[in-house]
Amino acid sequence: AIAIVYSNGAWGNENVLSTATSHSQWGASVVFEQQSGDALVVWNNGSADVPYAVWNGNSWLQASSLLPDSCTAGANWTFLFQRYNSDEAILAYSDGAGRICGQHWNGGSWDSQTNFENVTTTFSELGRFFSGAFEYSSGRAIVAWESSNGSSSSEGNVNYANWTGSGWSSKA
């Protein structure tokens, strides 16, 4: 995965994020913080850590890793989305061991993480089976996903969890 900045009609400031990403999955996501204008990039690197980097408008800051959580097999599919008129963002991602997790970015750091669900269907069979968005006026966010754990009672059901502004709700 490579991040390149487009500014003033030219490409530059290339940052090689990883040479070990999986090309069969959407392993990189980017959002622009709405107030600061910083870019936040998250990617998979083929390891248990899920790295991220911030472009501050002038240079790439040192890459770091997400908060430790129960998605310990790296990130296969990623989906990063920002809150309108804010520097907040939510990352939803699946790992290679059948888990889907979420983390909240407060504009400067990751401050809350959760495991939404463990599923038994392999992600190569599912593709990206989750999405999310911030509600415009409340600032709450929702992450929704298909529950595909192989049992007839939950396969094909849609579950969701909310970011309440201070933490994650239970799945519903």
Side-chain angles (χ1 to χ4, degrees), residues 71 93-94 98-102 114-117 123 129-130 145:
C71 282
Y93 66 103
S94 59
R99 294 176 286 256
I100 177 169
C101 290
T114 191
N115 176 321
F116 295 124
E117 185 170 4
F123 290 115
F129 64 104
F130 53 89
W145 65 95

Side-chain angles (χ1 to χ4, degrees), residues 16-79:
V16 176
L17 304 174
S18 176
T19 58
T21 59
S22 172
H23 302 291
S24 64
Q25 291 132 354
W26 192 262
S29 295
V30 61
V31 296
F32 285 90
E33 296 177 345
Q34 302 254 322
Q35 292 180 340
S36 70
D38 293 350
L40 174 63
V41 181
V42 177
W43 67 95
N44 86 35
N45 63 357
S47 74
D49 292 331
V50 180
Y52 73 94
V54 174
W55 169 259
N56 67 8
N58 295 309
S59 62
W60 289 101
L61 303 181
Q62 178 67 38
S64 190
S65 295
L66 299 180
L67 293 170
D69 62 18
S70 61
C71 282
T72 57
N76 286 355
W77 293 88
T78 63
F79 184 68

